[in-house]
Amino acid sequence: QVQLVESGGGLVEAGDSLRLSCAASGRTFSNYVLGWFRQAPGKEREFVAAISWSGETTFYADSVKGRVTVSRDNAKNTVNLQMHSLKPEDTAVYYCAARSGAVVRLTPAWYEYWGQGTQVTVSS
């Protein structure tokens, strides 16, 4: 079992920055992939960013590329999502997800473990 807990969400104004964190506990997997996804009301869950546990490979959705940086701290079993220049369309519940794998995947269905989510609201 792997437990994931997100934190750092909140209400911000357009153009502001926000840092989300995901803390992992439980069994440590080899080839451990971590992903960030978001879901707005009435919309499908969409990919935001992903990173291999080693940090060697990262991916970003086109909608956030250049405004988002994903990073990790293996010693603390945490992964972070630093967001800049936030837009109202970034408003959503943000989820951290994980699965053991050799290749970073971008689809929500592939991931096995999920956090409870943290709300990000960006006002105009």
Side-chain angles (χ1 to χ4, degrees):
Q1 290 287 332
V2 174
Q3 292 80 44
L4 304 173
V5 179
E6 303 96 335
S7 62
L11 175 63
V12 298
E13 296 182 350
D16 283 355
S17 298
L18 201 62
R19 184 191 184 192
L20 306 182
S21 296
C22 175
S25 62
R27 181 178 178 181
T28 300
F29 292 168
S30 60
N31 302 314
Y32 192 64
V33 176
L34 291 165
W36 284 97
F37 298 83
R38 66 187 183 186
Q39 188 167 21
K43 295 186 177 181
E44 298 293 324
R45 189 167 298 185
E46 66 174 353
F47 168 76
V48 177
I51 185 172
S52 62
W53 191 242
S54 67
E56 295 177 347
T57 305
T58 58
F59 290 92
Y60 299 96
D62 289 340
S63 60
V64 301
K65 193 172 297 182
R67 301 188 296 117
V68 168
T69 300
V70 63
S71 61
R72 86 288 177 272
D73 186 336
N74 288 346
K76 297 181 179 180
N77 289 323
T78 59
V79 61
N80 301 314
L81 189 72
Q82 181 68 53
M83 301 184 290
H84 302 281
S85 302
L86 285 165
K87 306 174 181 179
E89 50 263 45
D90 294 320
T91 296
V93 176
Y94 284 70
Y95 297 91
C96 177
R99 179 173 171 171
S100 179
V103 178
V104 176
R105 306 290 291 270
L106 311 184
T107 57
W110 180 82
Y111 288 83
E112 185 173 5
Y113 303 102
W114 292 82
Q116 83 288 349
T118 184
Q119 176 71 47
V120 173
T121 302
V122 184
S123 63
S124 300

